[in-house]
């Protein structure tokens, strides 16, 4: 048993098929290893329901509901109504997400479609007074432009992959920077620079599990108790103790949720 840390994973996908065979065992194990909470983030239409169910069946799991840019074609007015209905009937849905832009894959929906769906969901977050979980891959300029259109909305730029300058712009708008296991990779200069330059009061820790496992588990299926490696790496970069980092990042998430509603 490792209760050295009190871990809140601010971005996970436990409804992913990677956990279908042993989900309950994983939950038992991570709880024994200090995980007290998880924000499970929907991405597809199907995952709206599976995320909602996970929050209802597990006391330590909370949810974010939204349509990921890769699935932007699934968004419609009907889906919007369904998201609102889920939120009205479940106090454990804390955010709209994950939403945003992904220009990495050529087969993704066209950029204009992604931008329209992103704006629609930002509008929804504004109406519901909820924070957002932002996905931004190879789309920093357009992401920032849309964030600036909705200055009243706050949230997390998850799995942050941009420059220090971009991070500072996001922080100025009231966003937190989501740090994944990438910060532990040998070639991870960008995110290391961001962690060094951005105040710890604006950082959050996340797995994006089952993806992005940190060293020493790189390449394996990720899970929330591995966040301890991220905490330790941030502590090293910031010249703080892991316990100090752990306390501050948990406070940061609480602040976002309290003030985002």
């Amino acid at each position: 048993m490792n209760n050295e840390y009190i871990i809140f994973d601010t971005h996970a996908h436990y409804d992913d098929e990677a956990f279908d065979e042993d989900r309950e065992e994983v939950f038992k194990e991570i709880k024994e290893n200090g995980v007290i909470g998880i924000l499970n983030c929907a991405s597809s239409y199907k995952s709206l329901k599976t995320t909602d169910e996970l929050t209802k069946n597990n006391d330590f799991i909370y949810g974010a509901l939204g349509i990921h840019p890769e699935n932007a074609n699934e968004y419609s007015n009907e889906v919007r109504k369904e998201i609102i209905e889920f939120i009205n009937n479940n106090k454990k849905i804390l955010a709209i997400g994950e939403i945003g832009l992904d220009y990495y894959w050529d087969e993704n929906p066209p950029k204009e479609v992604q931008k329209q769906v992103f704006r629609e969901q930002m509008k929804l977050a504004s109406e519901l007074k909820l924070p957002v979980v932002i996905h931004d891959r190879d789309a920093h300029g357009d992401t920032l432009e849309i964030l600036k259109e909705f200055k009243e909305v706050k949230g997390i730029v998850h799995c942050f992959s941009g420059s220090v300058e971009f991070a500072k712009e996001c922080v100025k708008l009231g966003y937190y920077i989501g740090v994944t296991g990438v910060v532990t990779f040998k070639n991870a200069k960008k995110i290391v620079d961001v962690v060094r330059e951005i105040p710890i009061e604006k950082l959050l820790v996340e797995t994006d599990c089952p993806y992005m496992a940190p060293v020493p588990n790189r390449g394996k299926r990720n899970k929330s108790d591995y966040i301890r490696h991220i905490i330790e790496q941030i502590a090293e970069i910031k010249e703080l103790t892991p316990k100090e980092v752990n306390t501050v990042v948990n406070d940061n998430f609480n602040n976002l949720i309290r003030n985002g509603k």
Side-chain angles (χ1 to χ4, degrees):
M1 188 178 281
N2 171 16
N3 285 328
E4 195 183 343
Y5 300 117
I6 297 166
I7 291 170
F8 197 108
D9 183 353
T10 65
H11 196 109
H13 300 283
Y14 279 106
D15 53 328
D16 190 278
E17 61 187 19
F19 296 103
D20 282 355
E21 285 178 24
D22 62 350
R23 193 172 280 107
E24 293 311 312
E25 289 90 333
V26 170
F27 287 165
K28 185 171 180 289
E29 184 186 358
I30 62 177
K31 282 169 94 172
E32 284 172 357
N33 287 335
V35 176
I36 57 147
I38 290 161
L39 186 69
N40 201 82
C41 299
S43 53
S44 63
Y45 174 68
K46 182 186 168 195
S47 69
L48 299 175
K49 190 172 192 294
T50 51
T51 294
D52 182 65
E53 284 169 356
L54 274 179
T55 69
K56 287 174 174 167
N57 297 334
N58 300 277
D59 58 353
F60 71 117
I61 298 184
Y62 301 85
L65 298 185
I67 302 293
H68 188 289
E70 282 183 24
N71 302 306
N73 291 328
E74 293 182 350
Y75 192 78
S76 65
N77 208 35
E78 284 309 307
V79 170
R80 181 182 184 277
K81 284 178 190 161
E82 282 185 58
I83 291 172
I84 293 169
E85 201 173 316
F86 278 126
I87 290 167
N88 287 341
N89 291 308
N90 186 351
K91 287 193 170 75
K92 290 178 78 186
I93 304 299
L94 304 180
I96 299 294
E98 80 187 83
I99 63 174
L101 302 173
D102 192 313
Y103 295 169
Y104 183 76
W105 302 107
D106 290 338
E107 61 269 27
N108 278 352
K111 290 178 182 180
E112 289 312 311
V113 172
Q114 290 190 39
K115 287 196 276 190
Q116 185 194 342
V117 170
F118 184 16
R119 285 187 171 101
E120 287 289 328
Q121 293 184 96
M122 288 292 283
K123 208 180 293 174
L124 179 60
S126 177
E127 286 167 19
L128 298 176
K129 296 183 168 53
L130 287 174
V132 288
V133 179
I134 301 294
H135 174 101
D136 157 48
R137 193 172 188 194
D138 289 0
H140 309 320
D142 286 352
T143 297
L144 191 60
E145 184 188 317
I146 292 172
L147 297 186
K148 283 178 175 174
E149 290 171 17
F150 296 89
K151 287 198 165 75
E152 71 285 5
V153 178
K154 310 297 175 216
I156 308 164
V157 183
H158 123 83
C159 190
F160 193 85
S161 61
S163 64
V164 170
E165 292 70 33
F166 178 52
K168 285 179 176 173
E169 289 290 328
C170 293
V171 165
K172 233 186 271 177
L173 291 168
Y175 283 80
Y176 290 82
I177 303 300
V179 182
T180 64
V182 172
V183 77
T184 67
F185 298 174
K186 270 187 184 149
N187 59 349
K189 186 185 179 311
K190 248 184 174 182
I191 189 65
V192 168
D193 287 345
V194 167
V195 169
R196 189 178 291 117
E197 295 293 327
I198 295 299
I200 188 152
E201 290 74 22
K202 298 306 292 186
L203 299 180
L204 292 172
V205 291
E206 57 171 82
T207 56
D208 200 19
C209 70
Y211 317 105
M212 303 280 191
V215 173
N217 302 296
R218 188 173 182 180
K220 296 180 186 170
R221 180 182 67 174
N222 202 359
K223 54 195 181 75
S224 299
D225 52 341
Y226 291 169
I227 276 183
R228 66 180 182 272
H229 302 298
I230 301 170
I231 288 171
E232 285 160 7
Q233 186 68 13
I234 293 173
E236 199 176 303
I237 296 164
K238 288 288 200 191
E239 297 179 350
L240 296 166
T241 67
K243 192 169 184 186
E244 285 170 322
V245 172
N246 190 182
T247 302
V248 176
V249 294
N250 287 354
D251 287 347
N252 293 347
F253 186 72
N254 286 332
N255 289 339
L256 171 65
I257 296 308
R258 231 188 356 257
N259 301 327
K261 277 198 158 186

